[in-house]
């Protein structure tokens, strides 16, 4: 059997760098506690260190890799972290660790996905809109700008911007930073290389969008549209993004509860959004 592990994991060993072929021998099996399925174990011929192929996989050092898929599903179905721990019979810390792990994997897969889009010459139509939400308390307002590919509805990019609070309590608590003017232009600049020449970007009528798009997406064709307010059957030029945002509101419903926002941070929200992107774009997270 071929060991996919290229070197001996022991840093002091001669086989830690550029080992010869067959520097190891087979040495029985290891049975992980979560499923008791045997995993082949190998031993370095020089130092005697035992190791397994799983140590180079993304799930290395996880005690419950079997929970990953369930946690992803539940996290994007409005289930709080606390409830997930109850449903799955694991510790809250396990849920927290796994959400962070899944978010980092989602980010990695998204980079691969965007690379493939770039190799395929990019897209000719994107939509952008912002979702208003908050961190832990209603006065701590943030905006989540999302860029979608209009044809497929896949998420191309998102970010989180702070908004100066419109509520007296927010002002009193010092939630007065507004960095939309930094966050959104950065998002647009990063999008540049994924657009076909003369691509269209559709947004709503926000007053700042025209100048940001002119400056940071030169050459793009900006269309400011309005969704029909009265007639629900009328054609909605922003359907794709409104639809996505409606789903997102549903999936992130638990954000308003203390249970999800135990971290109470923008980073916690960012992790959750990465999981949502992986779900929406159907990334094979494990
Ligand atoms: Zn060794």
């Amino acid at each position: 059997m071929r060991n996919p592990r290229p070197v001996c994991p022991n840093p002091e060993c001669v086989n830690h760098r550029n080992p010869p072929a067959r520097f190891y021998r087979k040495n029985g099996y290891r049975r992980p506690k979560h499923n008791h399925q045997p995993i082949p174990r190998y031993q370095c011929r020089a130092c005697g260190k035992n190791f397994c192929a799983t140590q180079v996989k993304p799930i290395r050092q996880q005690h419950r890799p079997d929970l990953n898929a369930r946690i992803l599903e539940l996290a994007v179905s409005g289930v709080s972290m606390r409830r997930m721990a109850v449903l799955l019979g694991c510790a809250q810390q396990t849920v927290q660790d796994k959400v962070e792990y899944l978010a980092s994997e989602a980010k990695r897969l998204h980079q691969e996905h965007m690379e493939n889009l770039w190799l395929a010459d990019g897209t000719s139509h994107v939509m952008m809109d912002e979702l208003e939400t908050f961190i832990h308390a209603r006065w701590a307002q943030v905006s989540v700008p999302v860029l979608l590919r209009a044809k497929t509805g896949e998420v191309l990019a998102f970010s989180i911007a702070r908004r100066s609070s419109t509520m007296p309590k927010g002002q009193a608590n010092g939630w007065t930073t507004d960095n939309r003017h930094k966050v959104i232009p950065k998002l647009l600049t990063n999008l540049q290389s994924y657009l076909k020449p003369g691509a269209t970007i559709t947004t709503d009528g926000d007053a700042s969008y025209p100048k940001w798009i002119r400056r940071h997406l030169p050459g793009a064709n900006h269309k400011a549209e309005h969704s029909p307010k009265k007639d629900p059957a009328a054609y909605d030029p922003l359907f794709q993004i409104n639809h996505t945002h409606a789903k997102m509101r549903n999936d992130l419903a638990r954000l308003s509860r203390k249970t999800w926002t135990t971290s109470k941070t923008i980073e916690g929200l960012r992790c959750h959004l990465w999981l949502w992107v992986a779900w929406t774009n159907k990334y094979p997270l494990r």
Side-chain angles (χ1 to χ4, degrees):
M1 186 180 286
R2 203 180 75 86
N3 170 36
R5 195 123 202 217
V7 297
C8 173
N10 176 8
E12 321 248 285
C13 177
V14 289
N15 287 336
H16 189 58
R17 271 185 209 167
N18 301 324
R22 301 195 47 76
F23 71 91
Y24 53 86
R25 64 170 74 87
K26 277 201 75 176
N27 189 18
Y29 294 86
R30 180 176 86 81
R31 280 181 190 269
K33 277 184 184 160
H34 72 93
N35 63 1
H36 308 287
Q37 294 303 305
I39 294 173
R41 197 167 67 149
Y42 305 91
Q43 186 177 40
C44 174
R45 287 179 195 272
C47 69
K49 172 89 178 160
N50 286 307
F51 51 90
C52 291
T54 45
Q55 284 166 340
V56 285
K57 292 187 179 166
I59 57 163
R60 68 185 173 279
Q61 294 198 323
Q62 292 192 12
H63 297 292
R64 300 294 308 273
D66 53 316
L67 294 181
N68 294 352
R70 282 300 284 154
I71 288 189
L72 174 65
E73 285 171 3
L74 294 173
V76 296
S77 307
V79 178
S80 71
M81 302 245 279
R82 193 178 293 247
R83 183 62 62 84
M84 270 192 253
V86 172
L87 290 175
L88 298 170
C90 65
Q92 281 187 42
Q93 187 60 46
T94 306
V95 175
Q96 172 77 45
D97 293 348
K98 293 212 174 281
V99 166
E100 282 171 22
Y101 159 77
L102 290 167
S104 71
E105 279 292 286
K107 208 169 163 179
R108 184 177 66 78
L109 290 166
H110 185 68
Q111 273 156 7
E112 278 176 21
H113 181 81
M114 293 305 282
E115 222 157 89
N116 289 335
L117 179 65
W118 182 77
L119 290 172
D121 291 333
T123 177
S124 59
H125 189 188
V126 295
M127 286 187 177
M128 177 172 72
D129 200 12
E130 288 168 83
L131 181 95
E132 304 299 321
T133 185
F134 50 86
I135 303 292
H136 186 54
R138 287 205 177 262
W139 50 261
Q141 288 155 304
V142 291
S143 168
V144 180
V146 178
L147 281 158
L148 289 185
R149 188 176 182 186
K151 194 170 81 176
T152 59
E154 71 200 79
V155 180
L156 298 174
F158 77 89
S159 195
I160 303 172
R162 285 176 65 134
R163 309 207 65 163
S164 183
S165 186
T166 54
M167 297 172 203
K169 210 171 172 188
Q171 292 289 328
N173 281 293
W175 195 271
T176 51
T177 317
D178 193 312
N179 61 5
R180 272 178 80 235
H181 64 284
K182 284 187 188 155
V183 170
I184 295 176
K186 194 175 161 201
L187 211 55
L188 293 172
T189 305
N190 291 341
L191 182 73
Q192 180 77 71
S193 48
Y194 304 104
L195 288 188
K196 284 185 176 154
T200 304
I201 175 162
T202 309
T203 66
D204 64 16
D206 186 286
S208 300
Y209 290 162
K211 69 173 181 229
W212 288 340
I213 288 169
R214 255 201 321 277
R215 202 172 302 156
H216 300 280
L217 275 185
N221 168 24
H222 179 209
K223 271 193 194 156
E225 301 275 12
H226 297 276
S227 298
K229 285 233 165 66
K230 289 190 181 131
D231 180 6
Y235 169 72
D236 180 359
L238 293 168
F239 171 79
Q240 195 72 266
I241 194 124
N242 287 337
H243 180 63
T244 301
H245 275 177
K247 282 195 292 184
M248 203 168 162
R249 284 233 179 260
N250 182 52
D251 298 345
L252 302 184
R254 290 286 175 141
L255 270 176
S256 59
R257 304 276 169 88
K258 273 185 185 174
T259 42
W260 173 262
T261 41
T262 41
S263 55
K264 299 186 191 75
T265 60
I266 287 183
E267 281 319 302
L269 174 60
R270 201 185 298 277
C271 273
H272 200 175
L273 288 167
W274 272 118
L275 264 54
W276 176 79
V277 169
W279 181 259
T280 307
N281 291 3
K282 301 188 173 64
Y283 294 152
L285 268 194
R286 292 202 309 139

